[in-house]
Amino acid sequence: MKLRKDKNILQFFAMSLVMILSGVLMIAFFQARQVQMFGAGIILGGLMLTLFGLYNSTKPKDYFMQDERSIRIKEKAGYHAFMITLAIICYLQPINLFWRLNILFKDVAPIIFIVGMYSWIILRWHYNKRSEI
């Protein structure tokens, strides 16, 4: 297994090693339980970055390049998912005023975000299967 050793991969590995080292230092020198849990999370993130870096370093640089069709599909799906999210927000305001529900945006923002993300995933799948743009 041949690994690439270009600047981007080395920076990726350096960042993951700094994360692991900072997490170990947090666990070693701080007594607060929350700081130690945060340090453990940073160590876990650094280990995941190391694994991702190993995976990416085994592939050629051109392997992750996207063609024009997939870029266009993602753009179109993102545009329509944004319009769906905007429509949900626009329809929610008159419903809120008409029925006097007193719904605040901060209460429904996570639901609207999840709907937007799922609509982007479904639209991307749909446009990919449709094969015409």
Side-chain angles (χ1 to χ4, degrees), residues 22-55:
S22 65
V24 167
L25 291 176
M26 287 176 125
I27 288 175
F29 291 116
F30 289 102
Q31 298 298 325
R33 184 75 176 148
Q34 291 87 2
V35 177
Q36 288 182 344
M37 293 300 291
F38 185 69
I42 288 178
I43 291 173
L44 182 65
L47 290 174
M48 288 176 60
L49 279 178
T50 304
L51 292 176
F52 292 151
L54 281 174
Y55 175 74

Side-chain angles (χ1 to χ4, degrees), residues 1-98:
M1 172 169 53
K2 184 172 168 108
L3 298 177
R4 283 188 301 150
K5 297 177 189 82
D6 59 346
K7 184 179 104 170
N8 296 332
I9 296 295
L10 292 177
Q11 285 178 348
F12 204 79
F13 281 131
M15 182 174 53
S16 66
L17 289 176
V18 166
M19 284 179 67
I20 292 171
L21 182 64
S22 65
V24 167
L25 291 176
M26 287 176 125
I27 288 175
F29 291 116
F30 289 102
Q31 298 298 325
R33 184 75 176 148
Q34 291 87 2
V35 177
Q36 288 182 344
M37 293 300 291
F38 185 69
I42 288 178
I43 291 173
L44 182 65
L47 290 174
M48 288 176 60
L49 279 178
T50 304
L51 292 176
F52 292 151
L54 281 174
Y55 175 74
N56 286 339
S57 65
T58 59
K59 305 292 181 201
K61 205 171 207 178
D62 298 335
Y63 183 77
F64 297 105
M65 297 292 252
Q66 292 183 343
D67 59 341
E68 294 87 14
R69 181 180 174 274
S70 61
I71 292 172
R72 178 72 176 129
I73 285 172
K74 285 184 182 180
E75 286 175 354
K76 191 172 182 181
Y79 172 77
H80 287 114
F82 174 72
M83 288 298 160
I84 289 170
T85 307
L86 197 61
I88 289 171
I89 293 171
C90 290
Y91 288 137
L92 201 66
Q93 291 302 320
I95 290 171
N96 189 19
L97 292 174
F98 182 69

Side-chain angles (χ1 to χ4, degrees), residues 89-112:
I89 293 171
C90 290
Y91 288 137
L92 201 66
Q93 291 302 320
I95 290 171
N96 189 19
L97 292 174
F98 182 69
W99 283 325
R100 299 173 198 246
L101 299 174
N102 295 330
I103 298 173
L104 298 176
F105 179 73
K106 68 177 183 176
D107 296 333
V108 294
I111 298 168
I112 293 172

